[in-house]
Amino acid sequence: MGKNLLKLSDLHTDEIIAILDRAQMFCQGIDVPKFSDKIACNLFFESSTRTQYSFNVAEERLGMRVVSFNPASSSLNKNESFYDTVKTFDSFGVDALVIRHSENEYFNQLLGHVDAAILNGGDGTGNHPTQSLLDLLTIKQEFGRFEGLKCVIAGDIAHSRVAHTNYEVMRRLGMEVVTAGPKEFLEDSLDQEDFDQAVKTSDVVMMLRIQRERHAASMSMSAEEFHKAYGLTVEREKTMKDKAIIMHPAPVNRDVELADCLMECDRARIFKQMSNGVFVRMAVLERAVK
Ligand code: CP
């Protein structure tokens, strides 16, 4: 059985660094393997542009054959369960299953029941390991280290698998991580700081999308009010440290969590993050099927 990638908290920091080093080699076009006898299957039960299609590109770059699943035209419409759907693709003999699902830790029900390696493309509000790996690669490329850097993760923390994954792994790698945003989106168990203060003192300002699809009730403020109070406005960006960078996992609601004109400004690394997504996904696919 190949190596699963379910949660970054399952991985020792040495293994995380090894994945990042391999991804950096792929970024430079060094030692790219070919797995033309391997088949990957992308099972996205939740919407995705970046994760789904950058896995697809990563699989193509590794010479793998790719099966993509369309939930709308599948037998999910005939009440087939998530478990039986995944078991079906596993029974076809594919080598890797890339899965995104809205249920936290959906993968627990599959462990011991599928032969293919499982690569988690996001589970509910729990984990997004490849997003965190691409965020870490982007930070490493920028600063050459993690130790001693400060990151503020701002916005809808409570509903964000990116926030939860990054908070744990960044701290383990020696970064200071604080969260900021409206009280209704914060979690008591995570360190918090005033947003304006955190923007001024952080090396990485990571903004998050308001994840309305996960909200039980509507947000207490309008998008305009949110932008003014907790968004990275043009005025706030001017208070950032000289070398500090702006990150966002995307998709971005322009002019809500981030001013439209900052999306591609000199310190924005948002599209760089997307490019790096292909390289980290190549690295975790290699780890899964070699
Ligand atoms: N960042 C991210 O996971 O984007 P998608 O939802 O488009 O995959």
Side-chain angles (χ1 to χ4, degrees):
M1 200 199 301
K3 281 195 185 170
N4 296 330
L5 179 73
L6 307 177
K7 306 188 271 185
L8 285 191
S9 54
D10 291 340
L11 270 57
H12 192 276
T13 52
D14 290 348
E15 200 165 7
I16 291 169
I17 298 297
I19 292 170
L20 297 179
D21 287 347
R22 200 71 184 119
Q24 183 58 36
M25 289 176 76
F26 295 151
C27 176
Q28 293 167 244
I30 299 168
D31 192 26
V32 178
K34 287 286 173 215
F35 297 113
S36 49
D37 60 334
K38 304 290 185 188
I39 302 176
C41 182
N42 300 330
L43 297 171
F44 280 70
F45 295 84
E46 246 193 11
S47 304
S48 169
T49 298
R50 273 143 294 275
T51 311
Q52 179 170 205
Y53 294 103
S54 68
F55 258 114
N56 210 141
V57 172
E59 290 151 359
E60 298 276 357
R61 288 207 184 282
L62 294 173
M64 299 174 79
R65 283 166 290 163
V66 184
V67 177
S68 286
F69 165 71
N70 178 4
S73 61
S74 77
S75 288
L76 288 171
N77 294 329
K78 301 173 201 164
N79 288 332
E80 187 164 40
S81 67
F82 164 73
Y83 177 87
D84 286 343
T85 302
V86 177
K87 275 292 283 186
T88 299
F89 284 97
D90 188 56
S91 69
F92 296 160
V94 302
D95 301 283
L97 295 163
V98 179
I99 304 176
R100 171 176 285 190
H101 195 274
S102 58
E103 183 183 321
N104 283 30
E105 303 204 357
Y106 66 79
F107 39 78
N108 288 334
Q109 63 184 289
L110 302 172
L111 295 178
H113 298 281
V114 297
D115 292 324
I118 301 170
L119 301 172
N120 182 11
D123 61 283
T125 59
N127 304 275
H128 198 344
T130 57
Q131 177 68 45
S132 288
L133 288 168
L134 73 87
D135 292 340
L136 293 174
L137 180 61
T138 306
I139 292 167
K140 186 92 185 293
Q141 288 171 344
E142 192 71 32
F143 299 101
R145 65 190 165 90
F146 300 110
E147 192 80 35
L149 296 175
K150 177 174 177 181
C151 176
V152 55
I153 307 178
D156 188 358
I157 307 293
H159 301 97
S160 172
R161 53 192 169 218
V162 178
H164 296 137
T165 311
N166 272 335
Y167 189 88
E168 187 278 329
V169 72
M170 286 179 174
R171 289 166 77 99
R172 207 150 40 99
L173 289 167
M175 293 177 67
E176 180 188 356
V177 187
V178 295
T179 60
K183 190 93 193 116
E184 65 194 291
F185 290 158
L186 296 180
E187 291 183 356
D188 291 341
S189 59
L190 308 182
D191 284 357
Q192 299 168 16
E193 190 171 310
D194 171 75
F195 182 48
D196 285 312
Q197 182 60 25
V199 167
K200 285 179 198 154
T201 55
S202 291
D203 302 288
V204 177
V205 175
M206 180 175 288
M207 306 305 298
L208 299 177
R209 182 175 64 87
I210 302 169
Q211 298 181 64
R212 294 180 197 276
E213 72 277 18
R214 300 191 200 284
H215 293 184
S218 20
M219 197 167 71
S220 62
M221 60 180 85
S222 69
E224 291 75 20
E225 287 167 338
F226 179 91
H227 184 64
K228 202 162 168 221
Y230 299 106
L232 191 60
T233 58
V234 172
E235 293 70 33
R236 282 198 180 96
E237 184 272 336
K238 291 187 180 125
T239 71
M240 288 173 64
K241 289 164 70 173
D242 281 352
K243 299 274 170 59
I245 59 171
I246 300 167
M247 297 177 71
H248 190 307
V252 176
N253 294 303
R254 289 176 182 242
D255 283 333
V256 181
E257 57 266 16
L258 183 73
D260 178 37
C261 64
L262 297 180
M263 184 80 182
E264 294 180 71
C265 72
D266 286 348
R267 54 164 103 242
R269 296 292 179 270
I270 299 166
F271 289 101
K272 181 75 179 164
Q273 289 172 263
M274 295 180 207
S275 302
N276 282 335
V278 174
F279 306 124
V280 301
R281 288 171 180 128
M282 289 169 71
V284 299
L285 283 160
E286 176 189 49
R287 175 178 173 272
V289 302
K290 74 179 175 196

